[in-house]
Amino acid sequence: MKALRSKILLYFTSFSIIIILLLVLIVKNQITNTNIPLTENLNQQVVTAKAEQIGTWIQQRICELQILTETEHLMAMDMDEIKPFMRRMDVIHKEEFESFAIINLEGQAWVTNDTYIDINHRHYFEKIKSQRLDYVVSDPVISRSNDEPIVVIIHPIKNLAGNVVGYINGAIYLKKLSQIAEEIEMYDGTAWICDSAGNIFTSTEKGIKETINVLQSSEVGYVNFEEVGREMLMGKEGVHRIKTPQNQEKLVLHTPIPNVYGWSLGIAFSEEEMTKDTDKLIFTVLIFGGVLIVVLMIISLLLASSIVKPIVQLQNLMKQGENGNLDIYFDYQGKDEIGQLGLGFNKMILQLKKLISLVEKEQQQKRKAELKVLQAQIQPHFLYNTLDTIRWAAMEDDAQEAVELLEALSTFYRIGISSGKEFISVEEELDHVESYLQLQKARYEDMLDYEIRYDETIIHNEVLKLILQPIIENSILHGFQRQNQVKYIIDLEIQKQDDDLLIEIKDNGKGIPLEKLKKIQKALEVNEEPGENIGFGLYSTNKRIKLTCGNSYGLTINLMDGWTRVSIRYPLIKGGSQHVESCNCR
């Protein structure tokens, strides 16, 4: 019996482990393929929000400069009035601006700290003057007054006639922008700002520092960082993986900063930090799967023992019976096959006892002779030969119909499972529905009959699996009446019609009331959910066909000369791998 227990344990445990491992693998892949991209997307949204916050802050400074250009003093370019006015503005806006400057058309600038500079050849001045822009934001430069990185916003000053009479500069500290970037707390990463020339500025304990030009990053040992720089200068956002000179792999998120041409906000951090929680979740799933496997192995061991234990007990009792001990009884409460075998064994033992008791009252010699015969009957081969005789007797009593029905049932489930395939050939679908009808005909005998007709040229075409059986089951369920003396007939026909398959299923059952028929037709037309107006069989078949092949295909139902007719229109598709693509008719 150890072999039987080992087989049960092996089969059950192997099957359980395979299923659990598949489930664990599916869950792990689902977590990996969903959680990590989702986390990257959420992090990208955080970076984008901060970039928009920086862009908004800069836009506010631009608006403040625009308001200043609309004052009477600036529009008149009266420097005697402008200087005291701008000094006051310098004090009022000292939190936002490092300084202001008024520039004439020749590029000569007066700064609010009473210094004069020539900016005629500076890029941002040439750009706003030549392109006549509303404003220009410069790349970071070093302030001459305090050696701090600043950004210059230049705005034209126009007179009442709309002519440019000068320009106003507003210098803002780059650290103001960096403070916003520093608010990004993301996996101990480093946030930075990149200007239109590819220079990256980061915040350090000593202030803002130009760390690297991204377009020259490969020269100092970075890998793939130049590709990131090219995308940033093109104003794109994205997610990239780079390698630092220390051979550390980093994940880089970047997004353009609004209102500043060519600027981007980015952050670099370790991908391992980002996926730490996901890795913990995957580890938990794996641990759970391992625990589940151990539990199932224990269950399978208990199950195998529960099956083998009564058989071993019966085997031991049979051996005792062989040795002449008839004071035995197989105590088993189950009503399964083992219980039936044990019940027969107990009856045989009881009958043996009765016969032995009867023989003991008769002549001594006869009793001894009969006792030997009875003891011979309890031998295992006697039981096996008896069971074998019963089996052959059953076959000789014409069990052919039972064999055919078992074959039909096997075909029904084999095709129904179809190794998980979604599409099968018309021939297989017909075999499936015919096996179902064969089983139903055996059940209802002469009260039900069926006929199947089809075009031989279409049997190798493919259709969705199980589109006929639910309709026929529905017909029998709602159309068949036992008390009706007329034989219930189901007629199935499949033929080609242009580039489509036309499938008609008719029955001569009790029919459908006209009002109910209209509700079913309307439900099929609008794909109404199953309920009061339509059953699940019609709904599911119609819905599957429409989802797969388009709304021009599906089911219709009507009454015709006392017959209820369900028509299925389905595209005529050759069998093979191109089925799904060919069937995409939407």
Side-chain angles (χ1 to χ4, degrees):
M1 288 302 167
K2 290 183 179 180
L4 179 59
R5 180 184 300 169
S6 299
K7 288 181 179 179
I8 296 174
L9 184 62
L10 176 63
Y11 294 152
F12 183 83
T13 304
S14 300
F15 179 77
S16 301
I17 290 176
I18 291 172
I19 295 298
I20 291 173
L21 289 178
L22 287 175
L23 290 176
V24 169
L25 183 61
I26 290 172
V27 171
K28 177 181 176 297
N29 289 338
Q30 186 68 20
I31 292 174
T32 302
N33 297 332
T34 302
N35 198 40
I36 293 178
L38 180 61
T39 303
E40 290 181 358
N41 184 54
L42 291 175
N43 292 335
Q44 182 69 61
Q45 292 180 28
V46 172
V47 176
T48 300
K50 287 300 177 182
E52 291 176 352
Q53 186 177 346
I54 293 174
T56 301
W57 191 89
I58 292 176
Q59 182 63 37
Q60 290 173 349
R61 305 291 80 78
I62 294 171
C63 292
E64 290 170 355
L65 290 179
Q66 181 180 357
I67 293 173
L68 292 176
T69 64
E70 296 173 355
T71 60
E72 180 180 353
H73 303 311
L74 270 68
M75 293 176 69
M77 284 298 288
D78 185 351
M79 294 304 295
D80 292 335
E81 297 291 337
I82 288 175
K83 288 181 179 181
F85 173 74
M86 290 307 300
R87 289 189 186 101
R88 291 195 300 273
M89 294 300 102
D90 192 32
V91 173
I92 293 173
H93 295 283
K94 63 180 179 180
E95 292 295 329
E96 292 83 18
F97 290 92
E98 186 259 352
S99 63
F100 294 100
I102 303 299
I103 307 103
N104 61 23
L105 296 179
E106 286 73 34
Q108 303 303 313
W110 169 82
V111 187
T112 51
N113 61 4
D114 285 324
T115 59
Y116 292 87
I117 57 176
D118 184 0
I119 66 168
N120 188 48
H121 297 293
R122 294 192 179 181
H123 176 71
Y124 60 87
F125 181 74
E126 293 177 345
K127 183 176 181 180
I128 194 170
K129 188 175 180 180
S130 62
Q131 298 182 20
R132 297 181 180 181
L133 301 174
D134 291 334
Y135 69 91
V136 170
V137 181
S138 75
D139 287 335
V141 296
I142 303 300
S143 173
R144 293 183 178 181
S145 61
N146 54 18
D147 294 328
E148 287 283 338
I150 61 173
V151 177
V152 176
I153 304 174
I154 185 169
H155 198 289
I157 302 172
K158 298 180 181 180
N159 59 19
L160 292 176
N163 298 319
V164 177
V165 295
Y167 300 90
I168 183 173
N169 274 4
I172 58 176
Y173 286 112
L174 187 60
K175 67 182 179 180
K176 293 287 186 180
L177 307 180
S178 180
Q179 287 172 356
I180 300 176
E182 286 178 4
E183 295 175 1
I184 306 177
E185 296 181 357
M186 193 176 293
Y187 314 112
D188 296 327
T190 302
W192 35 261
I193 293 174
C194 179
D195 65 17
S196 61
N199 297 311
I200 287 180
F201 295 84
T202 59
S203 177
T204 67
E205 294 180 356
K206 298 181 179 180
I208 304 300
K209 178 182 178 183
E210 180 183 348
T211 56
I212 190 175
N213 186 295
V214 69
L215 299 180
Q216 300 172 356
S217 58
S218 62
E219 298 177 5
V220 293
Y222 282 91
V223 178
N224 296 331
F225 205 15
E226 289 187 0
E227 180 183 350
V228 178
R230 286 190 288 270
E231 286 204 4
M232 288 192 296
L233 296 182
M234 294 171 62
K236 295 182 179 181
E237 71 174 20
V239 180
H240 297 269
R241 285 162 177 81
I242 66 170
K243 186 174 288 187
T244 67
Q246 294 76 30
N247 205 32
Q248 296 176 336
E249 294 186 354
K250 297 283 187 178
L251 191 68
V252 174
L253 308 180
H254 64 86
T255 190
I257 298 175
N259 304 315
V260 189
Y261 176 78
W263 282 36
S264 292
L265 174 64
I267 186 169
F269 53 84
S270 171
E271 188 171 8
E272 291 182 358
E273 289 293 324
M274 184 187 72
T275 60
K276 184 184 297 182
D277 292 338
T278 300
D279 293 339
K280 289 181 180 179
L281 181 58
I282 293 175
F283 180 74
T284 302
V285 170
L286 294 176
I287 291 297
F288 177 77
V291 171
L292 196 57
I293 289 175
V294 173
V295 171
L296 285 177
M297 290 180 66
I298 295 174
I299 292 176
S300 63
L301 181 61
L302 296 175
L303 178 62
S305 298
S306 67
I307 295 174
V308 173
K309 183 178 179 180
I311 298 178
V312 172
Q313 182 184 357
L314 181 59
Q315 183 185 39
N316 292 333
L317 292 176
M318 292 177 66
K319 288 181 178 179
Q320 294 182 39
E322 288 179 8
N323 295 328
N325 180 16
L326 299 181
D327 294 326
I328 53 178
Y329 179 79
F330 182 63
D331 186 10
Y332 185 80
Q333 304 300 323
K335 299 185 181 299
D336 52 15
E337 288 80 358
I338 297 176
Q340 296 296 321
L341 185 61
L343 181 62
F345 176 80
N346 290 336
K347 289 182 178 180
M348 184 181 65
I349 293 296
L350 182 60
Q351 183 66 26
L352 283 173
K353 286 183 176 182
K354 290 181 179 179
L355 289 175
I356 291 173
S357 177
L358 179 62
V359 169
E360 286 178 348
K361 295 179 181 180
E362 296 180 353
Q363 299 176 359
Q364 186 68 26
Q365 292 181 351
K366 183 178 180 181
R367 183 178 63 182
K368 291 181 180 180
E370 291 180 350
L371 183 57
K372 291 181 180 181
V373 174
L374 290 174
Q375 288 175 336
Q377 289 180 359
I378 201 170
Q379 298 292 335
H381 70 271
F382 170 77
L383 179 59
Y384 302 151
N385 291 339
T386 302
L387 292 174
D388 194 54
T389 301
I390 294 172
R391 172 176 173 272
W392 284 108
M395 292 295 295
E396 292 173 355
D397 286 341
D398 190 10
Q400 185 62 31
E401 182 180 5
V403 173
E404 291 176 356
L405 292 177
L406 284 173
E407 291 178 351
L409 187 61
S410 173
T411 300
F412 179 77
Y413 283 110
R414 175 178 56 80
I415 297 176
I417 296 172
S418 299
S419 299
K421 293 192 297 185
E422 184 178 4
F423 299 96
I424 59 176
S425 67
V426 173
E427 183 177 21
E428 289 177 303
E429 182 70 9
L430 286 172
D431 289 343
H432 179 262
V433 76
E434 187 170 10
S435 65
Y436 176 77
L437 285 168
Q438 183 179 351
L439 294 169
Q440 292 290 26
K441 181 172 174 60
R443 174 184 176 186
Y444 295 112
E445 298 180 343
D446 293 337
M447 291 184 289
L448 182 146
D449 203 354
Y450 63 89
E451 182 176 359
I452 299 177
R453 302 185 302 279
Y454 55 90
D455 186 341
E456 291 283 351
T457 62
I458 54 89
I459 61 173
H460 297 298
N461 289 76
E462 289 193 346
V463 294
L464 276 171
K465 182 173 65 177
L466 306 182
I467 61 173
L468 298 181
Q469 185 272 335
I471 306 302
I472 291 180
E473 180 182 1
N474 191 75
S475 299
I476 296 174
L477 179 64
H478 296 287
F480 180 69
Q481 300 181 94
R482 286 181 178 273
Q483 64 272 22
N484 197 334
Q485 299 300 316
V486 178
K487 178 180 289 188
Y488 181 69
I489 299 175
I490 294 177
D491 184 89
L492 169 61
E493 181 177 8
I494 305 179
Q495 57 184 337
K496 287 195 297 186
Q497 189 177 81
D498 298 329
D499 294 329
D500 296 334
L501 286 177
L502 184 61
I503 305 170
E504 290 191 351
I505 302 170
K506 300 187 297 184
D507 70 82
N508 64 343
K510 64 180 181 179
I512 306 173
L514 184 59
E515 182 178 352
K516 177 66 174 177
L517 178 63
K518 291 180 179 179
K519 291 181 179 180
I520 295 175
Q521 292 171 336
K522 182 65 175 179
L524 289 172
E525 182 180 349
V526 300
N527 289 325
E528 182 179 330
E529 296 289 332
E532 181 180 352
N533 295 332
I534 189 172
F536 183 77
L538 292 176
Y539 164 78
S540 62
T541 303
N542 185 58
K543 186 72 172 179
R544 288 173 61 217
I545 294 175
K546 286 183 178 296
L547 286 175
T548 305
C549 302
N551 290 325
S552 57
Y553 298 96
L555 273 66
T556 57
I557 185 170
N558 53 58
L559 300 176
M560 183 184 68
D561 299 331
W563 292 73
T564 301
R565 180 178 66 178
V566 176
S567 300
I568 303 175
R569 182 170 294 277
Y570 193 90
L572 187 63
I573 305 298
K574 297 289 186 181
S577 60
Q578 76 277 16
H579 185 104
V580 175
E581 295 180 2
S582 303
C583 197
N584 188 7
C585 306
R586 296 184 183 84

